[in-house]
Amino acid sequence: MDIEILKIGEVIEVRGQKVRAKVYKDKNESNLNYCGEVIKNVSVGGFVKIRKGFQDIIGKIEGEFTLLNPNKQVIYYDKEEQIHRVIEISLIGYMDRQDRFHRGLSELPLISNYVYILSEEEIQSVFAFSANNASTITIGEIIGYNKYKLKIGVQSLFASHIGIFGNTGSGKSNTLAKIYKELFDIYKESEVFKNSSKFLIIDFNGEYENTISNVNKKVYHLSTRRGEELFPIDKKAIEDLEFWSIILEATEKTQQPFLKKCIQKFSASVQNNSILNEIREMINSIYDYADKFSTLKKYYKEILSLGFDNCSAEVDNLFGKLAYHSTSRKLYIIDQANIYFNSEDDFKHNQYVINLLQVITQDNLKYKDEEENIDEWDRFEFIVKLQYANDVARGYINEEHIAPLLRRLDNRLLEIRKIFKLDNADVIDENLQIISLVEVNIEMRKIIPMIVCKRAYDFHKLQENQSSSLFIIVDEAHNILSKQSDRESSMWKDYRLELFEEIIKEGRKFGVFLTISSQRPSDISETIISQLHNYFLHRLVNNEDIKAIGRSVSFLDGASFEMIPILPQGGCIMTGTACNFPVLIKVDKLEEKYQPQSHTINLEALWSVSEGEN
């Protein structure tokens, strides 16, 4: 193709990376014709080259405007001749001698250098974001260059942290599903891929179950209502302070030290006689700590019910009739005589106390070393409440600080029994695990992803095989990465964010990569967003969300940033380390059977009346 046909103007101003060029008047049409071929002319978002000697410098058009000719000596017969069309160009790279595009600049153009439309071969080179022999995935059409598909290298995209942002209905769910379905389609037959790479999807709305098929996957439909399907975690989790700190939202200064003591007692080789002796001592010391009886009565009963069989009648007889008289500061038995205990011996020789101590035996103890199928959740609750009762009675802890922890324990144990089961190891056996949280309540929606992601991350770090990889994919990430939640304390919020900030800062060197998708980037920690490597930006209309992207994403140019609120459905701007510059694309829509379950309901079809109805 004659190079002169592609010449459309010349440089009139150079200010660093920003260049302005005057467009020739005969090149102001939207398309140019040459030898029967239609060539796309220059427009905002398009690409041009500036020839400086033997160097071809590539730039992206970010804007255009008109400029009056400053030469006042010329007499114009046509008013249009006084106006020049000027395009603003942002320089992005250059072509080498082999016509390969390179990001970055080694020199700048000069005034009067000619500006050209890119040839077909040059366009292909500019959009070649991977080496010729590299594996690639196809994401969609390049808007403005519709005959070209955006192909991104597998290594450059997936060996990175990815962010997908966009309002509801903008197409972000399809984009998330598309990129990972493309990956699995390439490698699903590879045994190395199946064995060395694990994928964990946190699916808040149950959208992605059918997106990836014909692979080794397991879908967990977790529910805090039904509790029919349980997620396996290592038995050692119950001895992990961080696990319980997350579950119980334990404060660092007061509640975590108490939990640490409980875990140490739980983890110790339990000598049954010592537990028996401790329980007996607890009952006998009720008299010594009579002023705490009203507070601890509930826990005494729960401890005995959790720890022993065949003692309910004796427990009810004693604690149903034993009371504390605040005026006389004495314990007494509520009956016709109202027997008051004036000494420890009086208390120990009471028949109700004697009867209870007689059933606190080795045979009735639930947690024996040789006992199989012990409920470890019950055993942990037993130890915690025993520790609490003893510490409160002796004044070792402040009841006001620890009592909220015990109340949360009661509530959370009911929920975690419906969510988790204790297994032998934290191993993701399947190539792909999807955890659906659509039936999980709000509190556990924050807790479950933290536990699952942290344990998967910690387990992966300890693996001797450093050639393995773990991919954590979180849809609707603002649910757990929000920095503005009012449902929790600032300490707990900081802990939650620090966990994922550690993954995104340190995970890459361990082969752990994070993908997040969200409709509210302004809610997410800017530290997390700024540490991502590749972005798919769909339409965002909220001003705070747009500002958050502008502050955190360093790969955007001005023209691309201005496009964010007016992108079409399915359209997005891809930018980051996997591509040389921001690219506007139309993401290919998946086949209906693979599409995420995130469609907007068709109310017109729902409400329409069929012909046979009245």
Side-chain angles (χ1 to χ4, degrees):
M1 184 177 291
D2 188 352
I3 190 67
E4 292 300 314
I5 297 296
L6 300 180
K7 185 192 296 183
I8 53 92
E10 56 188 70
V11 175
I12 60 172
E13 182 179 300
V14 179
R15 292 183 181 273
Q17 186 188 357
K18 303 296 182 181
V19 173
R20 289 180 175 180
K22 176 182 69 176
V23 179
Y24 297 144
K25 294 189 181 302
D26 60 344
K27 298 295 174 67
N28 281 333
E29 301 295 331
S30 59
N31 295 291
L32 301 178
N33 295 317
Y34 178 73
C35 296
E37 184 177 352
V38 177
I39 308 168
K40 186 178 184 300
N41 200 1
V42 290
S43 61
V44 175
F47 296 88
V48 294
K49 71 177 178 182
I50 301 171
R51 176 153 292 176
K52 179 186 179 183
F54 295 103
Q55 178 80 65
D56 287 340
I57 301 170
I58 305 300
K60 182 178 180 181
I61 302 173
E62 291 191 345
E64 61 176 88
F65 60 95
T66 57
L67 182 68
L68 289 175
N69 192 325
N71 189 351
K72 298 181 181 179
Q73 303 300 319
V74 179
I75 300 175
Y76 295 98
Y77 296 95
D78 187 345
K79 193 172 183 179
E80 291 184 0
E81 294 182 11
Q82 302 179 42
I83 299 173
H84 289 306
R85 178 189 177 197
V86 177
I87 55 176
E88 294 182 319
I89 303 168
S90 178
L91 304 179
I92 60 173
Y94 66 95
M95 291 288 189
D96 64 16
R97 296 293 179 87
Q98 287 75 41
D99 289 331
R100 291 177 302 203
F101 175 76
H102 297 274
R103 175 77 172 175
L105 298 171
S106 58
E107 54 184 293
L108 297 174
L110 301 174
I111 300 293
S112 298
N113 283 162
Y114 293 124
V115 181
Y116 298 85
I117 299 172
L118 298 184
S119 67
E120 292 289 325
E121 293 77 13
E122 289 168 333
I123 293 172
Q124 291 176 1
S125 179
V126 167
F127 289 124
F129 295 140
S130 58
N132 291 333
N133 58 349
S135 297
T136 61
I137 64 168
T138 301
I139 297 176
E141 290 182 351
I142 300 174
I143 296 177
Y145 296 90
N146 295 344
K147 66 168 70 174
Y148 299 99
K149 289 281 191 178
L150 178 65
K151 295 185 177 182
I152 297 294
V154 168
Q155 172 66 22
S156 57
L157 179 60
F158 292 101
S160 72
H161 303 308
I162 303 170
I164 303 172
F165 302 107
N167 290 146
T168 299
S170 63
K172 69 180 184 302
S173 296
N174 181 72
T175 299
L176 176 59
K178 171 69 176 176
I179 62 176
Y180 279 99
K181 185 179 186 307
E182 286 281 321
L183 178 67
F184 274 85
D185 285 347
I186 294 173
Y187 293 105
K188 64 184 178 183
E189 301 299 330
S190 168
E191 290 299 321
V192 176
F193 175 73
K194 293 176 184 178
N195 296 328
S196 64
S197 296
K198 306 298 180 183
F199 296 80
L200 176 64
I201 299 180
I202 306 297
D203 187 3
F204 278 90
N205 296 324
E207 298 178 19
Y208 299 97
E209 180 175 345
N210 299 319
T211 297
I212 301 172
S213 60
N214 300 322
V215 297
N216 179 23
K217 74 174 180 180
K218 170 67 176 176
V219 181
Y220 290 94
H221 301 95
L222 303 184
S223 172
T224 49
R225 292 181 296 168
R226 295 181 288 112
E228 295 174 356
E229 194 165 8
L230 303 178
F231 186 83
I233 58 173
D234 187 3
K235 287 182 178 180
K236 294 180 181 178
I238 207 167
E239 301 174 17
D240 183 4
L241 177 60
E242 280 194 299
F243 173 81
W244 287 110
S245 296
I246 293 171
I247 290 283
L248 302 177
E249 301 178 33
T251 58
E252 182 180 2
K253 301 297 184 182
T254 55
Q255 295 174 354
Q256 287 187 15
F258 171 75
L259 276 176
K260 186 176 181 180
K261 285 196 298 182
C262 296
I263 291 169
Q264 288 172 346
K265 177 178 285 191
F266 180 90
S267 302
S269 298
V270 178
Q271 299 295 325
N272 293 320
N273 288 334
S274 67
I275 288 291
L276 283 174
N277 293 335
E278 188 170 351
I279 296 295
R280 287 174 173 274
E281 176 62 26
M282 179 189 75
I283 295 170
N284 286 324
S285 65
I286 289 175
Y287 178 84
D288 295 329
Y289 307 110
D291 58 327
K292 302 290 180 64
F293 178 74
S294 299
T295 299
L296 296 176
K297 178 179 178 179
K298 167 181 178 290
Y299 294 103
Y300 290 144
K301 294 174 67 175
E302 290 180 1
I303 290 165
L304 294 169
S305 297
L306 285 166
F308 296 89
D309 293 318
N310 306 316
C311 68
S312 58
E314 289 76 10
V315 170
D316 291 340
N317 285 337
L318 175 59
F319 292 102
K321 297 181 180 180
L322 187 63
Y324 176 69
H325 194 277
S326 58
T327 303
S328 63
R329 298 183 179 180
K330 292 181 179 180
L331 293 171
Y332 67 98
I333 296 294
I334 303 173
D335 59 14
Q336 292 180 347
N338 275 355
I339 301 173
Y340 283 80
F341 298 114
N342 295 312
S343 68
E344 185 177 354
D345 284 342
D346 288 347
F347 178 77
K348 290 181 178 180
H349 290 92
N350 180 268
Q351 193 60 46
Y352 293 126
V353 177
I354 293 171
N355 292 342
L356 178 57
L357 290 173
Q358 286 176 346
V359 296
I360 304 302
T361 64
Q362 176 77 19
D363 291 337
N364 287 336
L365 183 64
K366 290 182 180 180
Y367 310 116
K368 304 181 182 70
D369 289 340
E370 69 275 7
E371 194 75 29
E372 295 182 359
N373 300 320
I374 292 177
D375 189 324
E376 295 294 337
W377 302 119
D378 279 348
R379 181 169 168 250
F380 185 80
E381 182 183 4
F382 168 73
I383 293 295
V384 171
K385 290 183 175 178
L386 177 60
Q387 186 72 42
Y388 176 77
N390 286 334
D391 285 359
V392 170
R394 290 165 173 77
Y396 294 162
I397 59 175
N398 190 323
E399 178 194 348
E400 293 180 356
H401 293 159
I402 308 301
L405 183 77
L406 271 290
R407 289 193 289 271
R408 286 196 293 272
L409 178 68
D410 289 337
N411 293 329
R412 297 288 164 80
L413 279 175
L414 293 174
E415 294 170 339
I416 64 175
R417 282 189 175 98
K418 298 176 182 178
I419 298 296
F420 297 116
K421 66 177 178 181
L422 296 171
D423 209 332
N424 291 324
D426 275 338
V427 178
I428 301 178
D429 291 324
E430 299 80 14
N431 194 198
L432 170 64
Q433 281 189 0
I434 301 175
I435 301 177
S436 175
L437 303 179
V438 69
E439 292 189 24
V440 173
N441 63 32
I442 292 176
E443 287 184 345
M444 293 303 290
R445 276 183 163 217
K446 287 184 180 289
I447 291 171
I448 293 170
M450 288 183 64
I451 291 174
V452 172
C453 293
K454 177 167 178 53
R455 297 198 69 80
Y457 174 62
D458 289 344
F459 181 82
H460 184 82
K461 284 198 301 183
L462 297 175
Q463 297 304 297
E464 295 180 359
N465 180 13
Q466 292 301 315
S467 62
S468 62
S469 56
L470 171 66
F471 297 84
I472 299 174
I473 303 144
V474 184
D475 186 38
E476 305 296 348
H478 51 273
N479 285 297
I480 55 173
L481 301 182
S482 173
K483 61 182 180 180
Q484 299 175 354
S485 174
D486 295 326
R487 294 178 177 271
E488 58 200 350
S489 67
S490 58
M491 184 280 300
W492 172 245
K493 187 188 307 178
D494 291 343
Y495 181 85
R496 173 170 50 79
L497 293 176
E498 285 170 5
L499 167 61
F500 284 93
E501 286 176 3
E502 179 188 349
I503 293 175
I504 207 165
K505 289 176 182 177
E506 307 294 336
R508 192 175 183 180
K509 63 188 176 187
F510 299 112
V512 180
F513 303 100
L514 181 67
T515 297
I516 61 174
S517 173
S518 175
Q519 56 186 281
R520 289 306 308 272
S522 60
D523 281 355
I524 297 176
S525 162
E526 290 182 8
T527 301
I528 291 176
I529 295 180
S530 64
Q531 291 293 319
L532 299 171
H533 304 108
N534 289 293
Y535 302 84
F536 294 86
L537 305 175
H538 289 265
R539 183 179 65 248
L540 291 166
V541 296
N542 182 279
N543 195 42
E544 293 302 317
D545 292 330
I546 296 172
K547 286 181 180 178
I549 293 297
R551 288 192 300 267
S552 304
V553 181
S554 59
F555 301 99
L556 276 177
D557 55 44
S560 299
F561 181 74
E562 294 295 330
M563 286 290 293
I564 291 176
I566 57 173
L567 288 169
Q569 184 179 33
C572 78
I573 299 165
M574 184 190 173
T575 185
T577 57
C579 51
N580 294 317
F581 46 81
V583 184
L584 185 60
I585 59 174
K586 175 77 171 178
V587 180
D588 291 339
K589 199 168 185 178
L590 291 170
E591 294 180 49
E592 186 173 353
K593 62 181 178 180
Y594 298 126
Q595 290 175 10
Q597 302 303 306
S598 59
H599 307 295
T600 302
I601 188 171
N602 188 333
L603 293 177
E604 185 178 352
L606 178 67
W607 294 338
S608 62
V609 180
S610 63
E611 294 181 2
E613 295 177 346
N614 293 326

